[in-house]
Structures are given as structure tokens and as C-alpha cells.
Amino acid sequence: MKTIKLPLTLLFFFFATVVFAQKATVRGVILDENNTPLAGVNVTYEDQGTISDLNGYYLLEIPSDQEVVVIFSHVGHKNAKLRFNLSPNEDYELNPVLKIDVEQIPEVVISGRENKRVEGVTTISPEVIRKMVGANAGVENLLKSLPGVNGNDELSTQYAVRGGNYDENLVYVNEIEVYRPFLIRSGQQEGLSFVNSELTSNVEFSAGGFQAKYGDKLSSVLDITYRRPVDFGASVDLSLLGASGSVEGISKNGRLSGILGIRYRDNSLLVNAKETETNYRPKFADAQTYLTYKFTNKFELSFLGNVSLNEYNYRPLTRQTNFGTITDPIALLVFYEGREEDRYNTYFGALKSTWVVSDNYTAKFIGSLYQTTEQEYYDILAEYRLGEVNTEIGSEDLGTVEFTRGIGSQLTHARNDLDALILNVEHKGNLSLDENNIEYGIKYTHEDIRDRVQEYEIIDSAGFSIRPPIFPPNDQPYAADTSPIVPYTNVRAQNDTQIDRISGYAQWSRKTSLGNSELWLNAGVRAHNWTVSGKDITSTTQTVFSPRAQVALKPDWEMDMLFRLSGGVYHQPPFYRELRDSTGTVRPGVEAQKSIHIVFGNDYSFKMWDRAFRLNSEIYYKHLTDVNPYTLENVRIRYRANNSAVAYAYGLDLRLAGEFVPGTESWLSFGYLKTEENINDRGYIFRPTDQRLKFGMLFQDYVKVIPSLKMYLNLTYNTGLPGGSPSYADPYDYQVRLPDYKRADLGVSYVIVDDTKLRESGWLKPFKEFSIGAEIFNIFDVQNSITNTFVRDVYTKVQYSIPNYLTPRVFNVRLTAKF
């Protein structure tokens, strides 16, 4: 792997040595009388101020060497006034407690969430993410309960949004773009998501029509903010699926703060419950840290680091899958030899500096380096019997194969290696002029990928080798064939590819009025230039421009209602995987996929049962050109790399969220989607992610007489996806859908210690929170399938699509503690 060295340290050091105006800082967490953090508290002095975030955290800069009166105000609480006289650059921590005001204030305070509502961004509470149950719990698990977001594999953290695929989603952590491994082909190989839920303080998600400041992808943006500690703390989460822990703290002078998270995951409990009997020994572990140092009140430097080590050792033994109909039941019985050994090791580091140049202008500088080394080695021989099943009730042989329709074997082999290095250097600026806000950014990216693909598949049926479908037909096994024996599929390639990118954006936002109504405007444009080069590759350069806009109107009505229209032209310049076709060859001339995206949304906030609720509605339409067709096998995407299709997607998303049970947040989701593509003018067919209907529910509850006993339910119903097709096949011949995906996960926990039940003595005294619980995954034991395996009956020459089932009902126990 080629190494690249840039003087990033000198760049940050330069800005750290700039002389700034002398100010001091007041920071902390605002609490109510129950020691619960208060969000949306106004912290002001004179005409300056800030608002506490979802965790009650605030930070306010005030003049030094003079007396300043700071006022803390919040709806329904008494104002608190405090006087400060701090030294230059002093960092003072204050955690005020606001008392309930007997005279409730009859006015609405617009908090930071209003801006996200205007942008069409969904904000999710980190506490809901940490508590919600799921086979692969975390941010992505919760996203799948939102309308427009689909995922039919509980072992995978990947998701598809409004007809897009897994490669069309942006993920940021503290404004830093993060990546995932390349070679993963099934959910059980994935292990851990990059995002560590224990470290998060804010989660924002946009399913389309997002602003120009976000990058060049077609479908969605997930924007994560990691927590900045204000005190020492630690947490532990243990279950049969693994363990995680975190520790955080801050220095005495408040300048240095840091948080560290370590995770270990073992999917054996889930994989061993599937229909394939295996010896499965996975090792998924990672460590992440986020550090911040304030050189002055105007300049700070932060570091985000991640090391992820994933080993996947898999030795299948036997499998029996029953399918067909009641009148014609069929079973596939497979005996395996061989094993698979995969490794995905990733290393990521990023430096980010924030320089508050003036009250109106803030500059940010970001540098990141990502490296992944991956290997995928396997040799697996599968010998199968395809036959009729005994269905006689009471028979000793019930469920066994009585008559064999076909026998055969399949040998799969792979020696795939990939080494990728991705470097990013970026500058962002934010300028406020009266009611106008201007944001801009410029970014350079260098991608260096070394890739070796060596895989083949040999199919043997009744003692003869089946030739690939690209060969002329032959009446096997009844007629002799003298042509050479070749694998059914064979991919061999070795690529050395470099991609250099320069991208940038500029956007303008303004809040104004239209009569007595409030009006928000946003307009911007992105530009992206990239060059593909490498060994035996003809260098190719392309450039695209992406204009985008948003308009939001809040009428002067008694109802709290907001209307939003957004869209633009979205381009997705090809990443390495999109440049590589099914033969492993890199096609440098692949163009950026293009989508004209229009979204119309409505947000309606109202009271029901004297509690706050919100109904979000969006209709959308996408017109896609220069589409790069692909096949989807489990979670592996293989592109044709030829921009040979056009496509469309349209749909409706609804979400009702609020306190269905007092003191808890729950929601109901509904989504309708239709997406089709036309490849080479052959007519429209379903796209691989055409998930027509989606219902989701996330529900929290507690026992009224035992409020410490809590329940969490995550329920999903998705209509079936197209069943997929082999990478070598014509997708027009494979348009049968999989069965509907139905899943419900239930968690029950008992809270022994929390903010309202702190212990003053005994072994529980050090704990701020302590709970134990049990979880049931797939409580109705539904047989969901993710893809099909295609097996041919040698006698009838019928090819059967045999479902690959996901996990059945599984039980888990969980312990959570915070210090």
C-alpha cells in the first residue's frame, strides 16, 4: 500500500497559535428537580446566548474581567440569574437545577429542533437507541423502523432508503465521513457498525431532498454527533451476544475532554440457531475514542479514532430446507465439507479543528485517513439431495426425504484480497450576515485500492460438470460433449486503482416572513471532479454539478403545521465497487448516476391525551438516469459498470410519533414505494430494492404499578423483495418475489437503580443506573428469507429457487450499568 504524508500537524498548529480575543467560558448540564437533563433551556446574557442540547448540555462564552449576569430560562420553570466575573480563558463548570414555576408560561419556545424540522431531518433520541431491542441493536436497527428505510436482514447493519441500495447512504460522525468494509457479502459476516451508540449525543437522519452541504450520494444522510463529556462517567453493557463498555472524563481546567468505547460481538447465538448446522467462531471487536482539547475559547482541536478487528471463521456441516407446497413438499438436504476464513481489519483516524474567527464566521479544517485490509478465503464443497418429503402424520420418518429427484454437488472457491487507503482533507466555513447564513466547503480525496479477485464455482450434477450458461446449450447428460471442462462461474482479476476527487459546495439559507407566516429558504450547489487512473487503466476525468433547494412555510394558523418542498439534482460519482464489473475488470469510464429528486412534506404537531404528538408525511419522486444496474446477493452488490439503465421511484412515507405512554417515546410508520428500471430499453422490471409496502412500530411501555418494569417492542412488516438473480444471469428472467418479511423483537427490563432510585449505601451505591433484562428476537418464530439458492433437477431440468432463511426465535439476557 502506498503511503501518503501531509503536513496536517503544521496546519492545525498554525491555527492554534492565532491570538484571539480574551473571553471566558461557562458550561455544564442543566437539570430539573428530578436530576433529569433539560433540553431547550435558553442561556443568555445581554443580547447573546445559547440553548441546551438534548442532553441538557450548554456552553456559553462571556467577556472576561467584568461582571456578567447570565439568565437560565425554560418553559414551566423559574428563571435562574447568576453573576460571573471570570479570568481570561477561564473554563467554569456550572450545573444549575431549575425549579418548577407555579405560574406556567403560556408561550412556545422554538428550540434547535425546529431547524431540523425545517430541513426535513428526523432527530432520534440516543437513549431510545441504547434501550431498544434488536438482533443487531444500534442506530441502524432503529433506522429500519422509520418509513422509507428498509432492511430485510436482522444480522446486517446495512439499509436501503426509498429504492436505493446500500452504497447510496452517507454516514457522518462529528461532520467526518466514515466508511465500511468492501468485501462483506452476508449479514452474519458484518459484526459491528462503525457507529458506537454508547458514545452518541445526537442522531439526525434525512431520507432525501437533503441540502448541498451533504455529500454526493443518491439516497440518505445519517449525521451522528458523539458526546462531549462534562464529568467522569462509565458504562457497561453485557449480553449473550457480546459486551461493550465506555469511559469518559474531563480535565480539571475543562480544556481536555475525552470518551473511549470498546465493543465485542459474537453472533454465534444467532447463527447457530439457523437451519445450517455449523462450527462458527467469529471475533468482532473495535475500540473508538473522541478527544477534544480547547487551546482557547475560540479554537479547539478534536480527534476521532477507530480500530476494528473482525475475524469470521465458518465451517458449515449440514442443512435441510423444506419448501414447496402442501400438496408437493420438497426438501433440499446438503452435506458440507470445507470452511471459510475472512478478515476485515479497519483503521481510521481524523483530526478536526474549529476556529471561531468572529461572532459571524467559523472555520473548520478536517483531515482523515482510513485504511482497510480485507481477505475472503473459502473452499466449500456442498453435496445435495433434492427430493420429496414424508408428510404422513405420526410416521417415524416424518420430514425426511423419501424420493430423490436430483443429486449433485457444488464447489465454491475464493482467494480475494483487498487493501484500500482513503485520505480526505477538507475545509468548511459558516458565515452569518444579518438574517442570511452562508456555508461553503472544499474537499480533496485520494483513494488507493489494491484488489485481487480469484473465485470460481463448479457445479456437478449426477456425475457430470455443468457448463456456464454463456456456452451453447448441450443435452447433458444424455449426449457426450468433448469441449473443455470449465467452471460454471470464474472471476479472476488483479487491480491497482487510484481515484482523485475534488468536491465542494456553497449554500445560502435565510429565515424570513410571508405575511404573518414564517418562511425558510435554502439554495445551494455541489460540484465534484474525479479522475480514475492506475495500472493498465486509461486515465479518465469527469465533472458533475448538483443544484439543490429547500423551501419551508409555517402558516400563521392555530394548528402547528409546517409545509416543506425540497429537491434538486443529485449525482453519485462511482466509488471503486461501482467501477468493477462482474468479471472483476475496472471500467474507468463509468459515469455518475443521476437522480432528479422532489420531496413534498408536511409536519403537524398536535395534542392528544394531553400529550405532544407529531405526524410527519412526505411524498417523493425520483427520476434516475445513467443508472448502474446491479445484482443483490444477500448484502453483496455486484455492478455491471455500464450505466445502461434508467429508473424511477416514487412513494409515500408517514410517521406518527409521541408519548403513547406518558414519559416514553414511540412511533408508528408506514411506507409505500414503487421503483423500476429499464435496462437497455428492454422494458421496466422491478429494481432489487423494490419494497412495495412497509409497516414499522417502535413501542415503549412500563407496568403502572411497577414503573421500574419496562417493555420495548420493535415490530416490522415488509412486503417481499424481488428474489434476486445470480450475477451471471439475466435479471429479466428472475422477477419472482420473496415472501413478506415479518419480525417482532421484544425486550423486558427491570430498573434497579436510576436517577429516581439512587442508593446511598451498599454495593449499588456507585451505580447511576443498573438494570437487568431478557430479550426475545423474532418472538413469533417467522421464517424470513433473504435470498434464494438456485438448484436444478437433472431429470426434469427444472430449476428451483430455494429460500435462504434468516434467524428463528432466539432468547437473550442483558445487563446494563452506568457509574
Side-chain angles (χ1 to χ4, degrees):
M1 172 58 62
K2 181 169 64 177
T3 59
I4 299 176
K5 297 181 179 179
L6 289 179
L8 294 177
T9 304
L10 295 177
L11 178 64
F12 291 114
F13 180 77
F14 168 78
F15 290 102
T17 55
V18 177
V19 178
F20 301 103
Q22 299 299 298
K23 289 192 174 183
T25 302
V26 181
R27 60 174 176 81
V29 176
I30 305 171
L31 307 170
D32 63 14
E33 291 179 300
N34 296 319
N35 287 325
T36 301
L38 279 175
V41 178
N42 292 289
V43 186
T44 60
Y45 80 93
E46 298 178 355
D47 59 345
Q48 305 293 320
T50 186
I51 298 175
S52 64
D53 64 15
L54 295 176
N55 297 306
Y57 178 78
Y58 74 96
L59 186 148
L60 178 69
E61 290 187 343
I62 61 175
S64 60
D65 289 332
Q66 61 178 283
E67 187 174 276
V68 176
V69 177
V70 177
I71 301 174
F72 298 83
S73 61
H74 188 258
V75 175
H77 294 82
K78 293 181 179 179
N79 292 353
K81 294 184 180 180
L82 297 169
R83 298 179 182 274
F84 296 90
N85 194 330
L86 304 179
S87 302
N89 291 328
E90 183 176 352
D91 197 311
Y92 186 83
E93 180 179 350
L94 175 69
N95 302 316
V97 177
L98 300 188
K99 305 293 184 180
I100 295 177
D101 193 349
V102 176
E103 297 181 3
Q104 299 295 320
I105 305 174
E107 65 179 82
V108 177
V109 177
I110 303 298
S111 68
R113 281 196 173 190
E114 186 73 15
N115 292 331
K116 299 304 174 184
R117 183 184 179 194
V118 168
E119 295 176 12
V121 172
T122 300
T123 301
I124 303 173
S125 168
E127 283 303 313
V128 176
I129 296 171
R130 286 189 274 270
K131 293 177 180 179
M132 192 48 55
V133 63
N136 208 337
V139 174
E140 295 86 354
N141 174 64
L142 204 62
L143 289 182
K144 295 175 185 179
S145 68
L146 299 178
V149 183
N150 296 307
N152 283 24
D153 188 347
E154 59 271 9
L155 293 177
S156 173
T157 60
Q158 302 192 60
Y159 52 91
V161 179
R162 293 180 176 174
N165 67 35
Y166 306 136
D167 291 338
E168 296 179 10
N169 305 308
L170 286 161
V171 180
Y172 294 96
V173 174
N174 289 54
E175 299 185 278
I176 302 164
E177 186 174 358
V178 299
Y179 303 88
R180 57 177 298 106
F182 289 72
L183 297 183
I184 288 174
R185 65 174 67 202
S186 71
Q188 65 192 39
Q189 297 174 347
E190 285 192 37
L192 297 162
S193 158
F194 183 96
V195 180
N196 188 331
S197 302
E198 291 297 324
L199 310 186
T200 59
S201 66
N202 195 33
V203 178
E204 298 171 354
F205 179 76
S206 174
F210 42 87
Q211 296 180 355
K213 64 181 178 181
Y214 295 113
D216 297 287
K217 296 285 188 179
L218 295 181
S219 292
S220 73
V221 175
L222 176 62
D223 195 358
I224 306 291
T225 303
Y226 274 0
R227 187 166 66 248
R228 180 176 297 190
V230 295
D231 201 355
F232 173 80
S235 67
V236 172
D237 190 290
L238 305 174
S239 78
L240 297 179
L241 291 172
S244 66
S246 67
V247 62
E248 60 187 84
I250 189 168
S251 63
K252 290 184 178 181
N253 62 5
R255 294 295 179 193
L256 176 65
S257 63
I259 187 168
L260 170 69
I262 299 176
R263 296 181 293 175
Y264 172 80
R265 182 173 175 85
D266 185 341
N267 281 338
S268 298
L269 179 68
L270 299 168
V271 175
N272 290 338
K274 297 176 70 174
E275 62 183 14
T276 301
E277 183 182 349
T278 67
N279 287 328
Y280 179 61
R281 299 185 304 276
K283 296 178 182 177
F284 304 132
D286 81 340
Q288 287 190 39
T289 186
Y290 179 60
L291 306 172
T292 301
Y293 186 81
K294 291 186 61 176
F295 289 90
T296 70
N297 292 327
K298 293 288 187 178
F299 180 84
E300 69 177 27
L301 182 65
S302 59
F303 171 77
L304 175 65
N306 175 72
V307 176
S308 179
L309 307 175
N310 303 298
E311 294 186 7
Y312 175 83
N313 297 316
Y314 181 73
R315 188 191 295 268
L317 300 175
T318 62
R319 164 186 173 179
Q320 179 170 343
T321 302
N322 297 327
F323 63 104
T325 64
I326 296 177
T327 58
D328 185 23
I330 306 173
L332 174 70
L333 184 62
V334 186
F335 298 91
Y336 295 98
E337 295 181 30
R339 62 180 178 178
E340 179 175 355
E341 293 185 357
D342 302 333
R343 288 184 177 84
Y344 313 100
N345 297 336
T346 62
Y347 310 90
F348 180 82
L351 285 172
K352 174 185 172 184
S353 67
T354 303
W355 177 19
V356 182
V357 180
S358 67
D359 292 340
N360 299 326
Y361 178 64
T362 299
K364 298 177 182 179
F365 300 86
I366 301 173
S368 67
L369 193 64
Y370 171 84
Q371 183 178 20
T372 179
T373 57
E374 306 174 24
Q375 75 166 41
E376 184 182 44
Y377 293 176
Y378 58 80
D379 287 285
I380 297 177
L381 174 64
E383 298 173 305
Y384 69 87
R385 293 174 59 198
L386 185 68
E388 298 177 2
V389 181
N390 184 326
T391 58
E392 184 180 347
I393 303 295
S395 172
E396 295 181 357
D397 298 325
L398 179 67
T400 61
V401 177
E402 286 191 329
F403 175 76
T404 300
R405 294 186 179 182
I407 61 174
S409 62
Q410 178 186 45
L411 173 64
T412 55
H413 164 93
R415 294 293 184 273
N416 298 332
D417 293 279
L418 185 139
D419 191 351
L421 180 71
I422 302 176
L423 169 74
N424 290 289
V425 178
E426 183 176 10
H427 164 58
K428 293 182 177 181
N430 190 319
L431 176 65
S432 297
L433 297 174
D434 298 327
E435 297 295 325
N436 301 288
N437 188 59
I438 298 173
E439 298 175 76
Y440 70 89
I442 185 168
K443 180 179 181 181
Y444 168 74
T445 302
H446 177 79
E447 301 162 8
D448 188 355
I449 297 99
R450 313 295 171 89
D451 180 27
R452 184 189 72 169
V453 185
Q454 180 179 307
E455 56 184 63
Y456 61 78
E457 175 185 18
I458 298 175
I459 299 178
D460 178 275
S461 183
F464 67 95
S465 179
I466 298 178
R467 298 191 303 168
I470 60 174
F471 278 55
N474 176 263
D475 191 19
Q476 300 179 93
Y478 306 105
D481 182 52
T482 58
S483 61
I485 296 176
V486 295
Y488 195 70
T489 62
N490 186 21
V491 180
R492 292 177 181 270
Q494 189 159 339
N495 300 314
D496 182 350
T497 308
Q498 290 77 47
I499 307 175
D500 291 284
R501 306 178 189 270
I502 298 178
S503 60
Y505 69 89
Q507 70 174 40
W508 161 83
S509 302
R510 179 183 175 88
K511 179 183 177 182
T512 183
S513 60
L514 184 64
N516 294 326
S517 301
E518 297 181 36
L519 181 67
W520 288 265
L521 303 172
N522 173 272
V525 63
R526 288 192 64 86
H528 193 125
N529 171 275
W530 72 97
T531 300
V532 181
S533 60
K535 184 178 180 181
D536 300 324
I537 293 176
T538 302
S539 180
T540 304
T541 301
Q542 300 181 59
T543 303
V544 294
F545 296 90
S546 302
R548 307 174 188 178
Q550 291 183 335
V551 178
L553 177 68
K554 188 174 183 180
D556 184 23
W557 297 347
E558 291 185 4
M559 295 184 296
D560 184 3
M561 190 170 286
L562 183 142
F563 297 92
R564 182 179 56 255
L565 179 66
S566 60
V569 179
Y570 293 79
H571 286 94
Q572 181 162 320
F575 203 48
Y576 173 72
R577 185 154 59 176
E578 297 163 76
L579 295 172
R580 197 181 75 178
D581 66 14
S582 58
T583 68
T585 304
V586 172
R587 307 290 183 185
V590 174
E591 298 179 6
Q593 299 184 85
K594 178 181 176 182
S595 173
I596 299 176
H597 196 173
I598 300 174
V599 182
F600 178 73
N602 171 259
D603 289 358
Y604 175 39
S605 298
F606 59 96
K607 289 282 188 178
M608 186 167 62
W609 308 317
D610 292 326
R611 296 191 291 274
F613 284 82
R614 176 170 291 175
L615 176 63
N616 304 106
S617 310
E618 286 191 340
I619 57 175
Y620 58 89
Y621 177 80
K622 298 181 185 180
H623 175 69
L624 298 102
T625 55
D626 296 322
V627 174
N628 193 347
Y630 62 91
T631 58
L632 187 60
E633 303 170 11
N634 205 306
V635 299
R636 181 173 68 164
I637 298 174
R638 280 194 165 179
Y639 292 92
R640 296 195 176 199
N642 58 12
N643 298 113
S644 60
V646 295
Y648 68 85
Y650 63 81
L652 166 69
D653 288 342
L654 301 172
R655 176 173 175 258
L656 176 63
E659 295 186 12
F660 289 91
V661 175
T664 67
E665 181 182 6
S666 303
W667 60 73
L668 298 170
S669 299
F670 167 78
Y672 171 79
L673 163 71
K674 184 176 182 180
T675 179
E676 293 183 325
E677 63 187 0
N678 183 351
I679 304 175
N680 294 323
D681 292 326
R682 298 177 61 190
Y684 282 94
I685 58 174
F686 304 133
R687 301 197 78 195
T689 53
D690 181 35
Q691 193 96 63
R692 196 57 56 86
L693 291 176
K694 185 257 177 70
F695 295 91
M697 182 175 72
L698 185 143
F699 189 72
Q700 301 184 69
D701 199 358
Y702 56 86
V703 179
K704 190 172 183 179
V705 295
I706 314 175
S708 295
L709 186 60
K710 303 180 183 297
M711 183 273 288
Y712 309 93
L713 177 65
N714 194 353
L715 188 150
T716 302
Y717 170 81
N718 298 330
T719 53
L721 284 168
S725 62
S727 59
Y728 53 81
D730 184 352
Y732 281 80
D733 296 333
Y734 292 83
Q735 289 294 291
V736 178
R737 288 183 177 268
L738 295 169
D740 295 350
Y741 181 87
K742 302 177 285 288
R743 185 175 179 87
D745 298 326
L746 175 69
V748 178
S749 68
Y750 183 77
V751 179
I752 300 173
V753 178
D754 64 7
D755 291 337
T756 63
K757 299 170 59 179
L758 296 175
R759 304 301 175 89
E760 297 182 357
S761 61
W763 66 275
L764 291 173
K765 181 179 179 181
F767 293 96
K768 296 179 181 178
E769 181 180 314
F770 188 88
S771 63
I772 56 175
E775 299 174 334
I776 308 175
F777 306 134
N778 195 3
I779 58 178
F780 300 115
D781 200 22
V782 178
Q783 279 194 316
N784 294 309
S785 55
I786 180 65
T787 52
N788 287 320
T789 295
F790 299 95
V791 176
R792 193 173 79 163
D793 180 349
V794 67
Y795 298 108
T796 64
K797 297 186 179 180
V798 173
Q799 183 168 260
Y800 294 93
S801 57
I802 301 169
N804 296 314
Y805 290 119
L806 293 164
T807 58
R809 183 189 297 119
V810 176
F811 295 87
N812 186 34
V813 294
R814 186 175 179 184
L815 181 149
T816 303
K818 290 185 178 180
F819 306 89

